[in-house]
Amino acid sequence: MPLTPHWIRHYPRQHLRDDLIAGVLLTVLVIPQSLAYALLAGLPPQAGLYASILPAIAYAWFGSSMVQAVGPVAITAIMTASVLGPLAPVGSALYLQLAVWLSLGSGVLITLCGLARLGFLSQLLSKPVVSGFITGSALLIILSQLRFIGGIDARGNTSWQLLHSLWAWLPDIHAPTLLLGAGAVVALALARTGLKRWPMWQRLFPLLLILVCPWVVQGLALDPGERIAVVGPVSLEWASFDFSMPHPSVFSALVGPTFLIAFIGMVQGITMAQALATQRRERIDANQELLGLGAANIAATFSGGMPVGGGLSRSAINVASGAQTPLAGIVSGISMLAVLLLGTDWLNHVPLAILAANIIIAAWGMIDLSALRQAWAYDRADAIAWLGTASGVLALGLETGIAVGIGLSLATLLWRTSSPHIAVIGRLPGTQSFRNVNRYATETLPRTLMLRIDESLFFGNLQAVEERLGLELAQAPDTQDVVWVMTAVNRVDTSAMAALLNLNRDLKDRGIRMHFAEVKGPVQDRLVHTPLWTELSGELFHSVPDAFAALQASRQEPHDAALSI
Amino acid sequence: MPLTPHWIRHYPRQHLRDDLIAGVLLTVLVIPQSLAYALLAGLPPQAGLYASILPAIAYAWFGSSMVQAVGPVAITAIMTASVLGPLAPVGSALYLQLAVWLSLGSGVLITLCGLARLGFLSQLLSKPVVSGFITGSALLIILSQLRFIGGIDARGNTSWQLLHSLWAWLPDIHAPTLLLGAGAVVALALARTGLKRWPMWQRLFPLLLILVCPWVVQGLALDPGERIAVVGPVSLEWASFDFSMPHPSVFSALVGPTFLIAFIGMVQGITMAQALATQRRERIDANQELLGLGAANIAATFSGGMPVGGGLSRSAINVASGAQTPLAGIVSGISMLAVLLLGTDWLNHVPLAILAANIIIAAWGMIDLSALRQAWAYDRADAIAWLGTASGVLALGLETGIAVGIGLSLATLLWRTSSPHIAVIGRLPGTQSFRNVNRYATETLPRTLMLRIDESLFFGNLQAVEERLGLELAQAPDTQDVVWVMTAVNRVDTSAMAALLNLNRDLKDRGIRMHFAEVKGPVQDRLVHTPLWTELSGELFHSVPDAFAALQASRQEPHDAALSI
């Protein structure tokens, strides 16, 4: 792998201006969400700004998408909070330390997956499951942020816990905070729809709100007792993160969640990059993409200390700002550093309720009921997977929810492939074409069964194949020859090979010969060294017509009598 | 479902004598293993005898296999020990109580799976993974039984723990127990090979050893200090099991393992029943089989209080004794009751070392290295799955091991299906046959791409399909028509439908029309209600020749010039 990325070596000069402008715009426009997602992760809001520096640059260097913007994102943020919540008090030194380990660990894992070319693992989840997971997470995110809107301290990892806690805190709601927070939610929602015709103002609005709000609070004397929670003093100490190993028991509790965050990060990052590339007629390399995401998370260890990912709104802003190459990402990282160096006093008085309002609006946009409707109309099993995942996330929390989702994805896959289409075939009269005897008027040979299997053979569908053969033989007990037509069989795994070997022995005992026709080259290359080939009671025919002709001849009966239509 | 099983309503009278004899023989011959597996499960050995009464009858009534014998089996026994070990001291009232809940819970789960027709779930594991799991478990079983052979108290759930504990206990080995235990292992091993020509004596040998041993110990005064551990007094109190709910925290710790035991029970039971049915040219119904296994485990709640399953050696003895129908199982259940009622004093002095020797010999027979060799030669990925599962079981314990196995099964499946075979096809000159352009000399139309996908489309392989299309379009940038040839596509899931919809829009934007040819009926029935059909930029061709002819005509060029071979 060359050390300099492809896009730098062939950088198109005409894009330079676009990329520079987009990078600076991106920096300014993502400030609110960067602050908000750090808050969502249970970290000091400014961690989100730091996490937009080195990770953005690292991704630009190692990633494969031209326009994906990497930084703090909603899903990894709430997963961080959900993982670390039970292990350390929010805001404690241990919490910050564990967040650093989480981003380092998931970065290393993602990088290793990229190096091992395991990008295909990101396809372990079906679209309905991903959509159900994101919708469930979005609802959890909204519930988790209501505490900032109400100025209370309601917490929990599942919807029950959160609702229960919110209910208990209801009497303690701080009216001015609620006014400010609810007002911000309404204002942001209105801006989203009302400013559609002025996209730049629409995107600038969250930042303006953050800048204006402290003045409004002060000017109107909304908060005489100073009870509205604010970001507070921002430290510029980069290296304040603690790299010492936490206690082994805490550390081991981090291992599973690290895998999970890495996995979800992979799924989200690759899905996003893929979607962006399709829009722009570009191509991404899933494994290269993992190297980019992994590098970004490793870089986050030294810059922000929180897991990062490819963000939907962040990337959308990048594209809308005119970014053409990853140079925009590098520019945005450097600009963010400049913003921090120029001063962060303006951040001190930003109310947390405003940041929470930003999160709620972003989460609201992640709710995707149309995917459920679409799946319900198209394929009930996929709709059930959506519902199972979303309710799993809400009722049992993110980790269990995603496990439910993976289980449902694979169960539907297995359920579908476990009953392959199998057809008894015969010859179309006067041709060399063979078709399903139930759908066409065909000629078949007496005491001969030709079965075409329309799926690769593997551990999950052998039983169905054996059962079908059993049924057919029960209907035609005088069968002497069984021909497996392997036209559509692209693979035969070890379990299937063993099952075919047993079938061959079994049929031989019953005086039935077993043949194969049209076995594909790669399949044959494997089978040729197995006992199946040496013990095969029948023959190996190059084509179905060959098999038909040979068996017809072996019947040693007058030509016409041998055919039954 | 009729209340009386099929085999009773059509009972062939000529089998009555065979079944009666087989049932009685089975009872006598399985006494040693029933005692031994209860011991392995951490329960009083006599629980194994009780567990051979009602469960055997319940399975005979509800199951679908003609000759499978159900009772205590090695795998569920060691899983019981592994699950309950951390929750309660072996032999305590809580331990017995939890074992009852475990069998009840797994029985209910298996029954529900049967009623919901989820028998296909038992195919979630490939053959190499099952074999690796059984081999790993067998080695764990052997390690776990060495404590009885040595008269020490070495325990653990993983091979490390067991080896470490055995090492620590080494100085405390009780020589007479070791002599007896090791002697029994050698005697049983020799009987297995030496008595092959006298199968009935070979099968009776373990029982004779159990009956003779106490006399030998007494007669030779091997155990003057009475330190050789024996079964001890057998209680006949059936209903001594405690049905009260255990503490919620303990109970919730039981939920996951119950699912796991139910799942493994399903896999083992169905695999066994399938193998027996194949040998005997019979058929089983996987879902009916689950009802039988579920009923047996529920029945075990009242009789033995330990999870039961379909056993390899138990069923082999049943078949060898001449059983023809499940009546033999019912007879064996009643005979076992008679054995217990006639008296159990002879059990009191049976040394545990002898039972452990029986377990070790049985476990030794479960080690299946030939499956590993076979997989290694045939398909490296399957061999890796075998090794991963076996070492997962040994190093991390049964529960984690099986999770590793499921993961590896599905990862190989996904990895294989994630790159479907896709061929660009063209017409064989002078025919209506279409073949891969890379393998045959074919005619193709200019600016037209006909792609045949040789796999169903689902969430796991869309990316590969999109990538392939991207590659082909990059090679032929003047393409105007893309035809998806769907001959081998048996299903298009929601994710794939959405991806095709996106592709259609994307190609439309680039001025390329997207067509389909030979879409199968069931696939079309689903797609017809989706936006893909209404928005499709191209046409839907009945057959590939139709598509070829129509596109050829639309080119509006002289016939010959339009063909490039």
Side-chain angles (χ1 to χ4, degrees):
Chain A
M1 196 175 56
L3 278 176
T4 334
H6 177 266
W7 63 267
I8 288 190
R9 276 175 290 132
H10 305 90
Y11 189 80
R13 286 290 298 275
Q14 74 271 25
H15 288 337
L16 189 59
R17 194 170 154 273
D18 283 349
D19 281 339
L20 287 175
I21 295 176
V24 175
L25 270 177
L26 178 64
T27 309
V28 175
L29 295 174
V30 299
I31 287 177
Q33 55 170 286
S34 301
L35 295 167
Y37 292 147
L39 182 69
L40 176 58
L43 296 165
Q46 64 270 23
L49 301 184
Y50 286 111
S52 309
I53 305 174
L54 286 191
I57 298 174
Y59 176 80
W61 200 266
F62 292 104
S64 81
S65 166
M66 283 293 114
V67 292
Q68 172 146 261
V70 163
V73 290
I75 296 284
T76 43
I78 190 170
M79 288 185 76
T80 304
S82 150
V83 167
L84 300 186
L87 297 178
V90 172
S92 67
L94 180 61
Y95 194 99
L96 301 182
Q97 183 192 6
L98 292 179
V100 173
W101 279 105
L102 207 54
S103 65
L104 180 62
S106 66
V108 170
L109 277 176
I110 296 173
T111 306
L112 288 177
C113 283
L115 292 174
R117 311 198 70 70
L118 296 178
F120 74 91
L121 281 182
S122 68
Q123 302 188 25
L124 206 64
L125 292 177
S126 69
K127 282 220 164 38
V129 163
V130 172
S131 159
F133 177 72
I134 288 179
T135 301
S137 307
L139 291 171
L140 264 193
I141 288 174
I142 292 174
L143 286 174
S144 78
Q145 295 306 298
L146 291 179
R147 74 167 191 270
F148 294 109
I149 302 287
I152 52 181
D153 200 26
R155 290 160 192 279
N157 276 326
T158 67
S159 57
W160 310 129
Q161 289 168 5
L162 280 162
L163 288 171
H164 189 261
S165 181
L166 283 167
W167 180 253
W169 277 92
L170 214 52
D172 296 308
I173 282 182
H174 185 234
T177 306
L178 182 64
L179 189 70
L180 195 69
V185 169
V186 173
L188 286 166
L190 288 177
R192 242 182 131 100
T193 51
L195 296 177
K196 262 195 183 146
R197 286 204 277 164
W198 302 276
M200 195 41 78
W201 284 106
Q202 188 191 21
R203 288 196 196 92
L204 264 175
F205 188 79
L207 185 63
L208 294 179
L209 199 66
I210 284 179
L211 293 176
V212 165
C213 221
W215 298 101
V216 175
V217 172
Q218 229 182 340
L220 298 182
L222 269 177
D223 190 27
E226 302 207 337
R227 273 194 54 204
I228 294 181
V230 293
V231 170
V234 172
S235 108
L236 267 173
E237 294 171 47
W238 281 65
S240 68
F241 299 114
D242 183 358
F243 269 101
S244 63
M245 290 280 285
H247 188 272
S249 71
V250 175
F251 200 67
S252 69
L254 220 56
V255 174
T258 306
F259 273 86
L260 209 62
I261 289 196
F263 175 63
I264 295 295
M266 280 164 58
V267 173
Q268 203 196 10
I270 292 187
T271 311
M272 276 291 310
Q274 189 77 48
L276 291 166
T278 307
Q279 272 172 20
R280 294 171 53 87
R281 321 240 176 294
E282 290 164 355
R283 297 194 57 241
I284 62 145
D285 171 345
N287 295 306
Q288 186 68 43
E289 196 52 29
L290 293 185
L291 294 185
L293 288 171
N297 274 290
I298 294 173
T301 311
F302 308 96
S303 167
M306 66 181 289
V308 293
L312 178 64
S313 57
R314 190 175 284 267
S315 303
I317 290 174
N318 197 30
V319 171
S321 304
Q324 298 292 339
T325 77
L327 182 64
I330 294 181
V331 172
S332 86
I334 296 169
S335 319
M336 186 61 90
L337 178 60
V339 166
L340 281 167
L341 290 177
L342 283 174
T344 52
D345 290 347
W346 58 275
L347 262 173
N348 293 4
H349 299 288
V350 173
L352 296 182
I354 302 290
L355 296 183
N358 271 288
I359 297 178
I360 288 174
I361 292 298
W364 185 259
M366 286 158 55
I367 296 175
D368 180 16
L369 292 178
S370 71
L372 172 61
R373 266 198 304 276
Q374 198 185 40
W376 187 262
Y378 182 72
D379 189 336
R380 226 35 74 82
D382 276 333
I384 290 168
W386 192 103
L387 286 169
T389 311
S391 47
V393 167
L394 281 173
L396 306 169
L398 287 162
E399 291 92 341
T400 319
I402 198 65
V404 169
I406 297 176
L408 285 169
S409 276
L410 294 172
T412 31
L413 169 62
L414 211 72
W415 178 65
R416 286 184 185 131
T417 43
S418 67
S419 43
H421 184 250
I422 300 173
V424 177
I425 60 169
R427 187 169 67 172
L428 292 178
T431 73
Q432 291 288 47
S433 293
F434 289 78
R435 292 290 156 87
N436 190 337
V437 296
N438 294 328
R439 296 207 276 167
Y440 296 86
T442 56
E443 307 168 324
T444 55
L445 290 171
R447 302 188 293 288
T448 303
L449 189 59
M450 300 180 89
L451 286 162
R452 191 189 68 216
I453 311 168
D454 286 349
E455 191 111 41
S456 286
L457 291 172
F458 74 107
F459 62 87
N461 59 17
L462 300 169
Q463 204 174 324
V465 173
E466 284 171 1
E467 278 177 13
R468 177 62 183 270
L469 177 65
L471 276 178
E472 295 294 340
L473 288 181
Q475 278 175 26
D478 63 340
T479 300
Q480 290 175 352
D481 292 274
V482 170
V483 184
W484 293 111
V485 178
M486 307 281 276
T487 337
V489 176
N490 297 307
R491 280 173 307 281
V492 173
D493 80 350
T494 308
S495 312
M497 185 270 288
L500 288 174
L501 182 59
N502 278 339
L503 261 185
N504 178 52
R505 288 175 184 162
D506 185 35
L507 291 175
K508 201 178 199 170
D509 291 347
R510 299 162 73 171
I512 303 174
R513 292 190 303 163
M514 185 164 112
H515 314 267
F516 287 101
E518 299 208 20
V519 180
K520 299 197 171 184
V523 175
Q524 197 160 340
D525 289 346
R526 279 188 191 282
L527 287 176
V528 79
H529 300 295
T530 67
L532 178 59
W533 248 220
T534 45
E535 290 185 19
L536 190 64
S537 59
E539 286 176 60
L540 199 64
F541 297 109
H542 181 66
S543 71
V544 182
D546 285 359
F548 194 86
L551 292 172
Q552 192 171 32
S554 79
R555 289 279 166 267
Q556 297 174 325
E557 288 171 9
H559 182 89
D560 289 325
L563 295 175
S564 62
I565 296 185
Chain B
M1 195 174 61
L3 278 176
T4 333
H6 177 267
W7 62 268
I8 288 191
R9 277 176 289 131
H10 304 91
Y11 189 80
R13 287 288 300 274
Q14 74 272 22
H15 287 340
L16 189 59
R17 193 169 155 273
D18 281 350
D19 280 339
L20 288 175
I21 295 176
V24 175
L25 270 177
L26 177 64
T27 309
V28 175
L29 295 175
V30 298
I31 287 176
Q33 55 170 285
S34 302
L35 295 167
Y37 291 147
L39 180 70
L40 176 57
L43 296 165
Q46 64 269 26
L49 301 184
Y50 287 111
S52 308
I53 304 175
L54 287 191
I57 297 174
Y59 176 80
W61 198 266
F62 292 103
S64 81
S65 166
M66 285 291 113
V67 292
Q68 171 146 265
V70 163
V73 290
I75 296 284
T76 44
I78 190 168
M79 288 185 77
T80 305
S82 150
V83 167
L84 300 185
L87 297 178
V90 172
S92 67
L94 180 62
Y95 194 98
L96 300 182
Q97 183 193 5
L98 292 178
V100 172
W101 279 105
L102 206 54
S103 67
L104 179 62
S106 67
V108 169
L109 278 176
I110 295 174
T111 306
L112 289 177
C113 283
L115 291 174
R117 311 199 69 70
L118 296 178
F120 74 91
L121 281 182
S122 67
Q123 302 186 25
L124 208 63
L125 294 177
S126 68
K127 283 220 163 39
V129 163
V130 172
S131 160
F133 177 71
I134 289 179
T135 300
S137 306
L139 291 171
L140 265 194
I141 289 174
I142 292 173
L143 285 175
S144 78
Q145 295 305 299
L146 291 179
R147 71 168 192 269
F148 294 110
I149 301 289
I152 52 180
D153 200 26
R155 288 160 193 280
N157 275 327
T158 66
S159 57
W160 311 130
Q161 289 167 3
L162 281 162
L163 288 171
H164 189 260
S165 181
L166 283 167
W167 179 253
W169 276 93
L170 214 52
D172 296 309
I173 282 182
H174 184 233
T177 306
L178 182 63
L179 189 70
L180 195 69
V185 170
V186 172
L188 286 165
L190 288 177
R192 244 181 131 98
T193 50
L195 295 177
K196 260 195 185 146
R197 285 205 277 164
W198 302 277
M200 194 44 74
W201 282 107
Q202 187 190 19
R203 288 194 197 93
L204 263 174
F205 188 79
L207 185 63
L208 294 178
L209 199 65
I210 284 178
L211 293 175
V212 166
C213 220
W215 297 102
V216 174
V217 172
Q218 229 182 339
L220 297 183
L222 270 178
D223 191 26
E226 300 207 340
R227 273 194 55 203
I228 294 181
V230 293
V231 171
V234 171
S235 108
L236 266 175
E237 294 171 48
W238 281 65
S240 69
F241 299 116
D242 184 358
F243 269 100
S244 63
M245 290 278 285
H247 189 273
S249 70
V250 174
F251 201 66
S252 69
L254 219 56
V255 174
T258 307
F259 273 86
L260 209 62
I261 288 197
F263 175 63
I264 295 296
M266 280 164 60
V267 173
Q268 202 196 12
I270 293 186
T271 311
M272 275 292 310
Q274 189 77 49
L276 290 166
T278 307
Q279 272 173 20
R280 293 172 54 86
R281 321 241 177 292
E282 290 165 355
R283 296 193 56 240
I284 63 146
D285 171 346
N287 296 305
Q288 186 67 43
E289 195 53 29
L290 292 186
L291 295 184
L293 287 171
N297 274 289
I298 294 174
T301 311
F302 308 97
S303 167
M306 66 181 288
V308 293
L312 178 64
S313 57
R314 191 175 283 267
S315 303
I317 290 175
N318 197 30
V319 171
S321 306
Q324 298 293 337
T325 77
L327 184 64
I330 294 182
V331 172
S332 85
I334 297 171
S335 318
M336 186 62 89
L337 178 60
V339 166
L340 281 168
L341 291 176
L342 282 174
T344 52
D345 290 346
W346 58 274
L347 264 174
N348 294 4
H349 299 288
V350 173
L352 297 182
I354 302 290
L355 297 183
N358 271 288
I359 298 178
I360 289 173
I361 291 299
W364 186 259
M366 286 157 58
I367 295 173
D368 180 17
L369 292 177
S370 71
L372 172 62
R373 264 199 305 274
Q374 198 182 39
W376 188 262
Y378 181 72
D379 189 336
R380 226 37 73 83
D382 277 332
I384 289 167
W386 192 103
L387 285 169
T389 312
S391 47
V393 167
L394 281 173
L396 307 167
L398 287 162
E399 291 93 340
T400 320
I402 198 66
V404 169
I406 296 176
L408 287 169
S409 278
L410 294 171
T412 30
L413 169 62
L414 212 73
W415 178 65
R416 287 185 186 130
T417 44
S418 66
S419 43
H421 183 250
I422 299 173
V424 176
I425 58 169
R427 188 169 67 173
L428 293 179
T431 72
Q432 291 290 47
S433 292
F434 290 77
R435 293 290 157 85
N436 191 336
V437 297
N438 294 328
R439 296 208 276 167
Y440 294 87
T442 56
E443 306 167 325
T444 55
L445 291 172
R447 300 186 296 287
T448 304
L449 190 59
M450 302 180 85
L451 285 162
R452 192 189 68 215
I453 311 169
D454 286 348
E455 191 111 40
S456 286
L457 292 172
F458 75 106
F459 62 87
N461 58 18
L462 300 168
Q463 204 175 324
V465 172
E466 284 171 1
E467 278 176 14
R468 176 62 183 271
L469 177 65
L471 276 180
E472 295 294 339
L473 289 180
Q475 279 175 26
D478 63 340
T479 301
Q480 290 174 352
D481 293 273
V482 169
V483 184
W484 293 112
V485 178
M486 308 279 277
T487 338
V489 176
N490 297 307
R491 278 172 311 278
V492 173
D493 80 350
T494 309
S495 313
M497 186 269 289
L500 288 174
L501 182 60
N502 279 339
L503 261 185
N504 177 52
R505 289 175 183 162
D506 185 37
L507 291 175
K508 202 178 198 170
D509 290 349
R510 297 163 75 170
I512 302 175
R513 292 191 303 161
M514 185 165 112
H515 314 268
F516 287 100
E518 299 208 19
V519 180
K520 298 199 171 185
V523 175
Q524 197 160 340
D525 290 347
R526 279 187 193 282
L527 288 176
V528 79
H529 300 294
T530 66
L532 178 59
W533 247 220
T534 46
E535 290 185 19
L536 191 64
S537 58
E539 286 176 62
L540 199 66
F541 297 109
H542 181 68
S543 71
V544 183
D546 286 359
F548 194 85
L551 292 172
Q552 192 170 32
S554 79
R555 290 279 167 268
Q556 296 174 324
E557 288 173 8
H559 181 89
D560 289 328
L563 295 175
S564 62
I565 295 187

